[in-house]
Amino acid sequence: MEQYIMPLSANRKLKAAKSIDQTAYIYGATGYGKTTFVQKYLAKRRHTYLNCGNRRWDENDIPAQGIVVLDDLHLLDESRREIVRSIVAMPEVWLIIVSRSPVPAWLMPEYINVGFMIISENDLRLGRKEIAGYLDRLGLSCTEDGLRLLTENSEGNAYAVRHAALKMAEGMTPGPQMQKEIHDGFARYLTDHVMVEWDSELLEFLMKVSVVDEFTLPLAELITASRQASVYLQKAAETGNFLYFEDDRYRLRPVLLHALRERARQSLGEEQLRTCAKNAGVWYEMNGHISEALEMYEQAENWAQIRELLIRNARTNPGAGHYYELRRYYLSMNEEEAAKSPVLMAGLSMLHSMLMDEEKSEYWYKKLADFAKTASGGTKREAQSRLCYLDIGLPHRGSRDVLKIMLRAPAMLLDQGVRLPEFSVTSNTPSTMNGGKDFCRWSRSDRALAKSVGPLVERVLGSYGKGLTKIALGESLFEKGESTFEVLTLLSRGQVETECGGRLEIAFSAVGQRVRMMILQGDLLNAGTILDSFQTAVKEQRVMQLLPNIRAMRCRIALYAGDMEAVREWLKEAPDEDKEFITMERYRYLTKVRCYIALGENLKALALLEKLNEYAGRGHRTYIRMEAGVLGAIVRQRLGAEWEAMLTAALDEAESYHFVRFISELGAAVLPLLKKRSRDGPWYRQMLDETKQTARRYPSYLLPKSAARDDFSPTALEILRLQSEGLSATQIGARLGMKPDTVRYHIKENYRKLEAGSKTDAIAAAKSLGLI
């Protein structure tokens, strides 16, 4: 008690409540020092202390005036609730209520009508300075890093801080080992001293739901096979501040979750826990959460259900399935067991191809082909269907023979009654040309192919073929910089066709090209509006696999707008290429490269581009190779490395397809390089003219940012802001009480620091840096 450090926020609030005799309601989870805080505050004041867990006191023990403390309100029996309500209404009594949970429902009328001073767990948390002061009083020294770790790991919990101090007195230093010992000790404390206070039914309910990390009410009902789940959740909320409800999910504190699981193993037994896990798996599977379902089935040791679920997932295309997420389960399957199912063999072949393991992919393809030779009836047709699917869709085989295979497919469909699995032409990217496979080579004969084999391809692909021909042709013409009106007509009509029994995955390609078109025209507002409307449709139709790439496209718009705050926010959700390189994330990776370049993180950009180049070579991804080549040249030039050969190779290949747009979209970032590698010819002149137009519209796009906020005085920043509002130097001088010449001096300095040649460039650069 003598070393206790008063939490400053809680202390201020309690003093404020005392000054007007306002009821104070203090709550927080076990270990946050609620009772000690009140005792310290009232150490020299006369007061009446009543513990709600003690059933001996009644209304006769309540004084008519003075200070009354009601501790452990969460333990109060229902029969004495009216007493508490009456104390709140007593004008001469200053009431302090201490509980583990927020204001309970039965006390809510008093809270609303009278008003309580709420002192929450956040107010009780010990901050860095308070923890440092506490350690100092105990004569314990701690490094800055150690203090930071202790503050983060303890979450300001007084019990955890006290336990850490004891460990430090024994010679331990803050770190993983100390954190584990404190965590385990706290879990034992909860088991021995907190859980024993709970009703047995509530404890059993929480032990059962502890098989999952988070849950909804329907999930809790299915796990526990109880219709009283909502009652138990309400009781849990009133029993302690250890149950959170956020984003439509209930979550238990990690340390309590750990304690409940330990207790469940001892009390419920393995068989009952397996039943709870199986029930959770069923709910996850019913709601499309395949990864979570498999985890639960694995916990339940339900191997038959795991196999069945893997087969069902393998029936979907890679864009809609969960191949990467479930690869641990696929790759750990018994080979003999997998070889019994043509769907599993096809799934394994596809998965290994996605993992860039060509040898293993072909191994499973051959096993499936051998299986098809000896199979009969429906099983044979299933195997043949999967073989045709792999012939068309295996990523590592490229697109060279795809058209021949598709031309043979109708005969198989009609003569042998084979039904092809669903295909994803785009793999959830906003492109058909650079989607599930690279179809750049088709672009050279785009109009002829659209006319001759377009209807056949649409027929073979079924719902995934609706609108495909028009959209693919529109994208090809857009890449070549051809007539905007023709491109827009094709994209719009193709998108309408997808709405007649087609797929949003195909419509995303049309939307993607329309967004790019708006960006090139300098209309970022409409580009965002188009994307907003499409995202609404995606959410309504629950095609949720498109959302990550929609958000990536939104990030690309933010890069043009110079909204670096939005860019940094998107990077938080971007896939981590250093953890693992996932080929299906190629669109987001290329977005991430642009973010790295814009932030001046050129080495990170170069490392990611090298991985993309490796993937492009193995997977015959022509478009990615060209795009990565141009981006790589930009990065190398900024790093002072040789870049000319890389750019020349990319330009040569782009010219062979007459592709313009993926280069001209880079605008100011690539323009200096193009000027140094000048060449002649209509394609180059068209590409260079468009690149210059983009550079004029977005003068700071992906340019290195050398200036920072500290380089500008408050006056200089205010002048920039007023310039962005359209004010002249004279008007700014009048607004700020400065001479126009002084304003012009600041403007000139701002331009110099921002490396801008005009007001438009300066404002765009300042916005991209977050200065205005």
Side-chain angles (χ1 to χ4, degrees), residues 285 290 294 303-317 323 326 330 333 337-338 340-347 382 386:
E285 187 178 353
I290 306 303
L294 281 169
W303 312 120
Q305 195 66 33
I306 289 176
R307 183 179 184 277
E308 183 60 32
L309 199 155
L310 290 175
I311 290 176
R312 282 202 293 275
N313 182 74
R315 290 188 184 280
T316 61
N317 67 72
Y323 287 76
L326 308 184
Y330 280 113
M333 284 194 70
E337 191 68 22
K340 296 176 183 177
S341 166
V343 176
L344 280 177
M345 285 187 280
E382 177 79 83
R386 294 288 151 182

Side-chain angles (χ1 to χ4, degrees), residues 433-554:
M433 184 181 301
N434 186 29
K437 285 199 171 188
D438 184 289
F439 291 104
C440 285
R441 62 193 306 271
W442 290 21
S443 180
R444 289 179 172 140
S445 307
D446 48 16
R447 294 181 190 274
L449 287 172
K451 185 176 181 180
S452 61
V453 300
L456 174 64
V457 171
E458 289 188 352
R459 179 186 174 193
V460 170
L461 296 180
S463 61
Y464 280 90
K466 296 272 188 181
L468 175 61
T469 301
K470 290 184 177 66
I471 292 172
L473 179 57
E475 181 179 348
S476 179
L477 298 181
F478 173 79
E479 287 290 354
K480 296 175 181 179
E482 297 194 22
S483 167
T484 297
F485 300 106
E486 183 180 7
V487 169
L488 189 59
T489 298
L490 287 165
L491 295 176
S492 299
R493 290 182 177 179
Q495 192 172 350
V496 169
E497 286 185 16
T498 66
E499 296 168 5
C500 303
R503 298 287 186 140
L504 279 180
E505 289 93 325
I506 303 299
F508 189 24
S509 177
V511 169
Q513 312 322 309
R514 290 177 60 201
V515 167
R516 293 171 69 191
M517 192 180 296
M518 291 296 104
I519 290 172
L520 286 175
Q521 292 178 357
D523 194 350
L524 296 183
L525 181 61
N526 269 326
T529 301
I530 291 169
L531 203 53
D532 289 342
S533 298
F534 183 69
Q535 182 171 310
T536 300
V538 165
K539 289 183 176 179
E540 287 176 354
Q541 298 183 38
R542 300 196 60 76
V543 190
M544 310 307 277
Q545 66 266 24
L546 297 181
L547 291 178
N549 282 335
I550 289 175
R551 290 193 291 268
M553 181 170 280
R554 205 175 293 283

